[in-house]
Structure formats: C-alpha cells, structure tokens
Amino acid sequence: MIKKIKIEMLAIGMYIHDLNCRWIDHNFVRNQFKVTDAALLKKVRDIGSRELYIDTAKGDDAENALSKKEDDRRQDQAVKEILQDVKPPASKPAEYYQELSRAITLSRDASQLINNTMNDVRLGKQVKLEQTSKTVERMTQSLMRNPNALMGLGRIRDADQYTFEHSVSICTLMVAFAQYLKLDADAVHQIGIGAMLHDIGKIQVPDEILNKPGKLTDAEFDIMRGHAELSRQLLEKAPGITPIALAVAAEHHERYDGSGYPLGLKGDEISLYGQMAAIVDVYDAITSDRCYHKGMPPTVALRKIYEWSKFHFNPGLAQRFIRFVGVYPAGSVVELKSNLIALVLSKDSKDPLNPSVLVVYDTESKKMITPTERNLKAHQDSIIGYTIAEKWGLETRKLMALMT
C-alpha cells in the first residue's frame, strides 16, 4: 500500500515511492528507492520536502499514516470546495478566435525574444529591457481582451524548447494572475518583465549541467540551484529594472516555510511577487512535458499546489491561484462521455466543469473529425477527464493548427 507520511516519520528500512517534490529541488536520480542507511536518510530529509509517500509492500510500514488514495480524496475535495467560490468575470471577453490569431503570433515573438536575450547575455551583453517591456505590454493587452487564447497556447508546447517556452508561459500566467488579483497596471507590467526574464541566470549554467539527462553530482546540483542568484545579479545591472521585476526573478525559488533558495526567506520576508512566482513556476513545471517525464494533468497539479501550500506556499494565495486557473484551463486535452476527444477553448466562470471545447477526434472510429466547437450542456455531454494527446496520435503542434 502507498502511504503518505511526514518527513519526521521516515526511517531506515522504509521504501520511498515518491519524494513529493519537483525535480529541481533534489538531485536523486530516481524518485523510488529504499532508505538503507543513516546517511541516505539525512540526505532525503535535507531536500526540504515535508511529506512523502512510502510503499509498505517494499519496505517498513508507518503506523497511523493515510493511504495515498484517501489523502488524494481529501485534497481533491478541498480543491472542489475552493473552486465553488469562483466568480464570473466583470466584463465579457473578446471573441476567442479573433484573439487567438494575434496570440499565436505574439507567443512566437515572445519565445524568439527570450531566445535572443539569452544569446546576447551569453555573448557578454547587458540585458536590455526595452523590447521585453514592449512584448509584455502586448501580452497584457491580449490577456485583457481574452485570457483564454494566450493561456491556452501555453499548454501546447515543444519539450525541446522548454527553457524559452517556460519563460513565456510564466510571463503569461503571472500577468494574468496579477490581473486576477486586481493589482495596479504598473505592478502588472513589472511582474511580467520579471517573469519573462526570471530564468535568465540559466545562461550561465553550463549546458552539460543544464541539460544533463542523468543524476547531477552534489557540486553540479549546487551550480544548478545558483541560477536564481545569477538571474538577480544579471538583472540588477539592467538599466531601468524595478524592485518588483527583480523580486519575481530573485525569489521564484524561495518557499514560504523557509526551505527555498537562494536566501532561505520565510513567510512575508518573501515579497508578494516572489510568492506568486513560486506558485506559478511550480505549476507550469509540473504540468509541462519534458524530455524525461510527462506533465501532470491540471486536476492533479491543482491538488499538489493545495497540498504543498501547507508548507511551501502562502496558503491564501495558493487558493486564489487555484480559483484563477480552474479545473479545465484553456488548452487542456479532454475525453468526453460521447467518446470524443476535445481541446478546451475557454473556461466558463459560471460553470467551470463545462468549458467551451473543440471536438477533434472520435475514439470509436479512431479517426480525426471535422473540428467543431461544442457546448457540452446543449449536447448533454460532459468531460470524463484529461487525456494524453499522443495516446490518440494527436501531436500538440497539430492541435494548435486546429484551433485557428
């Protein structure tokens, strides 16, 4: 049986089923292994995870620990209760398809911008904020017209372009989240600049470490973790950088319980902008496909955000993020009761379980169908759950083409 335990309960002889933390937070090559000695026990306890999962069929048991299934049910129920408090938008968004064509161009431009910026820094040039500022302004305007278009594109990505597309996605989510929180326009803009450039320090991490498919050595791991401090140092030299933009980049790996880095800030020692970035960065990372793992479906990711908010995130801010994202964000691939595969176009704030979808594939005939927008309630249809596009032979880039 898989059980969830507090880190203090972990003992020699137990078999770890899941370390319950992001890959960047530890340098274990595997998530599953037996705790065989005191040195390994200490190393696991030092990574900062407060709770993890053990497999009692492969190692020692822990008394009074919840099973993973029971714990997941509790977390899912808590997320459902949070989502019940979602409020409809104050104004009607612009027509989706009209905004989508602009968003596709904008997303490509933003990816090229971060690519060019990183190349400039690699050549020893200073970060220039003018073009980043203009791009963030375009993204902000797009999100104000219709947030579903640009945010939906963030879920259709190329795993080989993770570094660039992650930066664009973080910027999109941070700007939209800041708008949701009703922060003032200048703060929203500066948050976007910091988010777009939050990983600029990775350009000074050697490629053999940044892209290493296997286990990092302790020394390599320390170098990898140093990218947040490198981002701060690089951006501090950029003329016109503001404290808000700097906080987003410098604090996105800090954790509310003090277990983060580079400074180990705790609670409100972390700025609001750093607290937002910590949540958004983790959410995007765990929902993204990488060359070595598949991303979590948003339903599971929201459960993890809620679970980790007991320690690593500001709990109130994490709940507001859950309401902001919703259970079926735009760009999600879902399976319908009618045996059709569909792409979520936009969430309905009044009815978050019945978003607008584009049906694209029939699982019974195993064929593509003419893409058609569907109102789930009108067709007496419903979402069974998330699915993997590749399972049905659907490539993510082809899905983007179907949306236009």
Side-chain angles (χ1 to χ4, degrees):
M1 179 182 287
I2 310 302
K3 290 185 175 181
K4 184 178 183 181
I5 64 169
K6 295 184 182 300
I7 192 67
E8 296 82 6
M9 298 170 65
L10 185 66
I12 296 171
M14 291 182 178
Y15 188 92
I16 295 175
H17 175 76
D18 185 352
L19 287 165
N20 197 29
C21 64
R22 282 182 58 213
W23 72 273
I24 192 66
D25 292 330
H26 67 82
N27 62 338
F28 290 98
V29 69
R30 293 172 299 163
N31 243 343
Q32 300 180 350
F33 53 89
K34 193 167 188 174
V35 181
T36 54
D37 54 55
L40 184 55
L41 175 62
K42 182 180 185 302
K43 188 173 182 179
V44 173
R45 287 180 171 174
D46 286 347
I47 64 176
S49 182
R50 295 298 195 92
E51 297 173 323
L52 45 71
Y53 298 96
I54 61 170
D55 187 341
T56 61
K58 298 180 179 179
D60 294 343
D61 200 350
E63 293 184 7
N64 303 318
L66 279 179
S67 71
K68 184 178 185 301
K69 287 184 178 180
E70 177 58 27
D71 185 64
D72 286 350
R73 280 195 291 268
R74 291 189 180 191
Q75 308 283 7
D76 287 341
Q77 182 58 38
V79 170
K80 286 180 182 178
E81 291 174 3
I82 292 169
L83 288 169
Q84 287 175 357
D85 195 29
V86 174
K87 294 179 174 59
S91 58
K92 187 176 180 179
E95 201 273 325
Y96 175 81
Y97 289 102
Q98 179 183 354
E99 188 56 39
L100 181 61
S101 61
R102 288 183 289 210
I104 289 173
T105 299
L106 177 52
S107 181
R108 290 170 179 161
D109 289 348
S111 290
Q112 188 60 53
L113 168 68
I114 193 64
N115 188 3
N116 293 343
T117 301
M118 287 187 163
N119 284 336
D120 286 346
V121 172
R122 185 181 286 111
L123 295 172
K125 297 179 181 179
Q126 196 174 60
V127 176
K128 296 179 181 179
L129 299 181
E130 181 179 1
Q131 192 57 47
T132 301
S133 180
K134 290 179 180 178
T135 301
V136 169
E137 180 60 29
R138 290 171 62 197
M139 295 172 73
T140 301
Q141 294 300 321
S142 176
L143 289 163
M144 289 178 67
R145 289 190 294 266
N146 190 315
N148 295 298
L150 192 56
M151 288 178 66
L153 293 177
R155 292 198 52 77
I156 302 176
R157 287 154 57 175
D158 186 341
D160 293 332
Q161 297 293 319
Y162 176 79
T163 299
F164 307 134
E165 295 188 352
H166 172 67
S167 294
V168 176
S169 183
I170 292 298
C171 181
T172 301
L173 284 167
M174 283 289 284
V175 168
F177 189 30
Q179 291 174 336
Y180 176 84
L181 294 176
K182 293 183 169 53
L183 302 185
D184 68 73
D186 184 63
V188 171
H189 186 71
Q190 297 306 324
I191 285 169
I193 291 174
M196 183 73 81
L197 300 171
H198 79 290
D199 269 349
I200 194 71
K202 284 185 176 179
I203 205 64
Q204 295 188 354
V205 176
D207 285 344
E208 59 268 25
I209 295 177
L210 190 63
N211 301 315
K212 186 176 180 179
K215 179 181 178 180
L216 297 177
T217 65
D218 289 345
E220 290 171 338
F221 186 62
D222 288 341
I223 292 172
M224 175 68 87
R225 286 168 64 105
H227 79 272
E229 174 61 17
L230 291 171
S231 291
R232 182 189 65 78
Q233 293 174 9
L234 286 168
L235 292 179
E236 275 185 334
K237 299 174 184 177
I241 196 72
T242 66
I244 291 177
L246 201 60
V248 171
E251 298 175 0
H252 71 279
H253 281 296
E254 300 289 355
R255 295 294 178 258
Y256 209 61
D257 61 355
S259 65
Y261 60 88
L263 299 179
L265 300 178
K266 186 175 183 178
D268 289 338
E269 292 175 352
I270 310 168
S271 69
L272 169 64
Y273 319 110
Q275 292 176 26
M276 292 168 61
I279 296 169
V280 170
D281 183 65
V282 168
Y283 175 82
D284 187 73
I286 64 179
T287 55
S288 299
D289 289 343
R290 303 293 300 274
C291 57
Y292 43 78
H293 73 72
K294 294 294 293 183
M296 296 179 185
T299 42
V300 178
L302 291 181
R303 178 204 303 157
K304 301 305 290 186
I305 293 295
Y306 176 78
E307 175 186 347
W308 292 332
S309 72
K310 291 185 291 183
F311 308 108
H312 301 304
F313 307 134
N314 179 324
L317 194 62
Q319 290 190 23
R320 297 177 81 177
F321 179 77
I322 289 169
R323 294 190 189 100
F324 155 68
V325 173
V327 67
Y328 295 120
S332 304
V333 182
V334 294
E335 188 170 358
L336 305 182
K337 185 178 68 175
S338 57
N339 298 316
L340 297 174
I341 302 300
L343 189 68
V344 176
L345 297 179
S346 61
K347 60 183 181 180
D348 185 342
S349 297
K350 296 179 181 178
D351 189 2
L353 296 180
N354 288 292
S356 173
V357 301
L358 187 75
V359 294
V360 296
Y361 186 87
D362 188 323
T363 62
E364 288 189 328
S365 64
K366 297 183 180 179
K367 292 181 179 179
M368 296 287 294
I369 59 176
T370 302
T372 307
E373 191 168 348
R374 170 166 291 199
N375 180 305
L376 295 178
K377 277 194 170 180
H379 284 79
Q380 297 185 331
D381 207 348
S382 61
I383 295 174
I384 296 174
Y386 285 93
T387 189
I388 299 172
E390 289 76 10
K391 175 182 176 181
W392 311 101
L394 301 170
E395 297 179 13
T396 54
R397 290 297 170 187
K398 289 183 179 179
L399 287 178
M400 187 194 303
L402 293 174
M403 293 166 64
T404 58

